[in-house]
Coordinates of all heavy atoms in Angstrom, one line a residue:
N137 N 52.7 184.2 110.0 CA 51.9 183.6 111.2 C 51.6 182.2 111.0 O 51.0 181.6 111.9 CB 50.6 184.4 111.3 CG 50.8 185.9 111.6 OD1 51.4 186.2 112.6 ND2 50.4 186.7 110.6
V138 N 51.8 181.6 109.9 CA 51.5 180.2 109.6 C 52.6 179.3 110.2 O 53.7 179.6 110.0 CB 51.4 180.0 108.1 CG1 51.2 178.5 107.8 CG2 50.2 180.8 107.5
T139 N 52.1 178.3 110.9 CA 53.1 177.4 111.6 C 53.9 176.6 110.6 O 55.1 176.6 110.6 CB 52.4 176.4 112.6 OG1 51.4 177.2 113.3 CG2 53.3 175.8 113.5
E140 N 53.2 175.9 109.7 CA 54.0 175.0 108.7 C 53.9 175.7 107.4 O 53.0 175.4 106.6 CB 53.3 173.7 108.8 CG 53.5 173.0 110.1 CD 53.3 171.5 110.1 OE1 54.0 170.8 109.2 OE2 52.5 171.0 110.8
K141 N 54.9 176.5 107.1 CA 54.9 177.3 105.9 C 55.0 176.5 104.6 O 54.4 176.7 103.6 CB 56.0 178.4 105.9 CG 55.8 179.4 107.1 CD 56.9 180.3 107.1 CE 56.9 181.3 108.3 NZ 56.4 180.7 109.6
E142 N 55.8 175.4 104.7 CA 56.0 174.5 103.5 C 54.7 173.9 103.1 O 54.3 173.8 102.0 CB 57.0 173.4 103.8 CG 58.5 173.9 103.9 CD 58.9 174.4 105.2 OE1 58.1 174.5 106.1 OE2 60.1 174.9 105.3
K143 N 54.0 173.4 104.2 CA 52.7 172.8 103.9 C 51.7 173.8 103.3 O 51.0 173.5 102.3 CB 52.1 172.4 105.3 CG 51.7 170.9 105.4 CD 51.2 170.7 106.8 CE 50.4 169.5 106.9 NZ 49.9 169.3 108.3
A144 N 51.8 175.1 103.8 CA 50.9 176.1 103.3 C 51.2 176.5 101.8 O 50.4 176.6 100.9 CB 51.0 177.4 104.1
L145 N 52.5 176.5 101.5 CA 52.9 176.8 100.1 C 52.5 175.7 99.2 O 52.0 176.0 98.1 CB 54.5 177.1 100.0 CG 54.9 178.4 100.6 CD1 56.5 178.4 100.8 CD2 54.5 179.6 99.8
A146 N 52.6 174.5 99.7 CA 52.2 173.3 98.8 C 50.7 173.4 98.6 O 50.2 173.1 97.5 CB 52.6 172.0 99.5
S147 N 49.9 173.8 99.6 CA 48.5 173.9 99.5 C 48.1 175.0 98.5 O 47.2 174.8 97.7 CB 47.9 174.1 100.9 OG 46.5 173.9 100.9
M148 N 48.8 176.1 98.6 CA 48.5 177.2 97.6 C 48.9 176.7 96.2 O 48.1 177.0 95.3 CB 49.4 178.4 98.0 CG 49.0 179.1 99.3 SD 50.1 180.4 99.6 CE 50.5 180.2 101.3
F149 N 50.0 176.0 96.0 CA 50.4 175.5 94.7 C 49.3 174.6 94.1 O 48.9 174.7 93.0 CB 51.7 174.8 94.8 CG 52.3 174.4 93.5 CD1 53.0 175.4 92.8 CD2 52.1 173.2 92.9 CE1 53.5 175.1 91.5 CE2 52.7 172.8 91.7 CZ 53.4 173.8 91.0
R150 N 48.7 173.8 95.0 CA 47.7 172.8 94.5 C 46.4 173.6 94.0 O 45.9 173.2 92.9 CB 47.3 171.9 95.7 CG 46.2 170.9 95.3 CD 45.8 170.0 96.5 NE 45.1 170.7 97.5 CZ 43.9 171.2 97.5 NH1 43.1 170.9 96.4 NH2 43.3 171.8 98.5
V151 N 46.0 174.6 94.7 CA 44.7 175.2 94.3 C 44.9 176.3 93.2 O 43.9 176.8 92.7 CB 43.9 175.8 95.5 CG1 43.7 174.7 96.6 CG2 44.7 177.0 96.2
L152 N 46.1 176.6 92.9 CA 46.4 177.6 91.8 C 46.2 176.9 90.5 O 46.6 175.8 90.3 CB 47.8 178.1 92.0 CG 48.1 179.5 91.4 CD1 47.2 180.6 91.9 CD2 49.6 179.8 91.7
K153 N 45.7 177.6 89.5 CA 45.6 177.1 88.1 C 46.9 177.1 87.5 O 47.7 178.0 87.8 CB 44.7 178.0 87.3 CG 43.2 177.9 87.4 CD 42.6 178.8 86.3 CE 41.1 179.0 86.7 NZ 40.5 180.1 85.9
P154 N 47.2 176.2 86.5 CA 48.4 176.3 85.7 C 48.4 177.7 85.0 O 47.3 178.1 84.5 CB 48.3 175.2 84.7 CG 47.4 174.2 85.4 CD 46.4 175.0 86.2
G155 N 49.5 178.4 85.1 CA 49.5 179.8 84.5 C 49.2 180.8 85.6 O 49.3 182.0 85.4
G156 N 48.7 180.4 86.8 CA 48.3 181.3 87.8 C 49.5 181.8 88.6 O 50.6 181.2 88.5
R157 N 49.3 182.8 89.4 CA 50.5 183.4 90.2 C 50.2 183.5 91.7 O 49.0 183.8 92.1 CB 51.0 184.7 89.6 CG 50.0 185.8 89.7 CD 50.6 187.1 89.1 NE 50.4 187.1 87.6 CZ 51.0 188.1 86.9 NH1 51.8 189.0 87.4 NH2 50.8 188.1 85.6
L158 N 51.2 183.4 92.4 CA 51.2 183.6 93.9 C 51.9 184.9 94.2 O 53.1 185.1 93.7 CB 51.8 182.4 94.7 CG 52.1 182.7 96.1 CD1 50.8 182.8 96.9 CD2 52.9 181.5 96.7
L159 N 51.3 185.7 95.1 CA 52.0 186.9 95.5 C 52.1 186.9 97.1 O 51.0 186.7 97.7 CB 51.3 188.2 95.1 CG 51.2 188.5 93.6 CD1 50.1 189.5 93.4 CD2 52.5 188.9 93.1
V160 N 53.3 186.9 97.6 CA 53.5 186.9 99.1 C 54.0 188.3 99.5 O 55.1 188.6 99.2 CB 54.5 185.8 99.5 CG1 54.6 185.8 101.0 CG2 54.0 184.5 99.0
L161 N 53.2 189.1 100.2 CA 53.6 190.3 100.7 C 53.9 190.1 102.2 O 53.1 189.6 102.9 CB 52.5 191.4 100.5 CG 52.8 192.8 101.1 CD1 53.9 193.5 100.3 CD2 51.5 193.7 101.0
E162 N 55.1 190.4 102.6 CA 55.5 190.1 104.0 C 56.7 190.9 104.4 O 57.5 191.4 103.6 CB 55.9 188.6 104.0 CG 56.0 188.0 105.4 CD 54.9 188.3 106.4 OE1 54.9 189.4 107.0 OE2 53.9 187.5 106.5
F163 N 56.8 191.1 105.7 CA 58.0 191.7 106.3 C 59.2 190.9 105.9 O 59.1 189.7 105.8 CB 57.9 191.8 107.8 CG 56.8 192.8 108.3 CD1 55.6 192.3 108.8 CD2 57.0 194.1 108.1 CE1 54.6 193.2 109.2 CE2 56.0 195.0 108.5 CZ 54.8 194.6 109.1
S164 N 60.3 191.6 105.7 CA 61.5 190.8 105.3 C 62.7 191.4 106.0 O 62.6 192.0 107.1 CB 61.6 190.8 103.8 OG 62.3 189.7 103.3
K165 N 63.9 191.3 105.3 CA 65.1 191.8 106.0 C 65.6 193.1 105.4 O 65.9 193.2 104.2 CB 66.2 190.7 105.8 CG 67.3 190.9 106.7 CD 68.1 189.6 106.8 CE 69.3 189.7 107.7 NZ 70.4 190.4 107.2

Side-chain angles (χ1 to χ4, degrees):
N137 300 296
V138 173
T139 315
E140 296 198 53
K141 296 177 187 39
E142 286 83 2
K143 238 178 158 175
L145 287 168
S147 193
M148 292 177 225
F149 189 80
R150 181 183 65 75
V151 303
L152 200 60
K153 278 185 197 169
R157 64 178 85 188
L158 167 67
L159 296 166
V160 182
L161 180 65
E162 190 51 272
F163 292 107
S164 205
K165 195 164 181 282

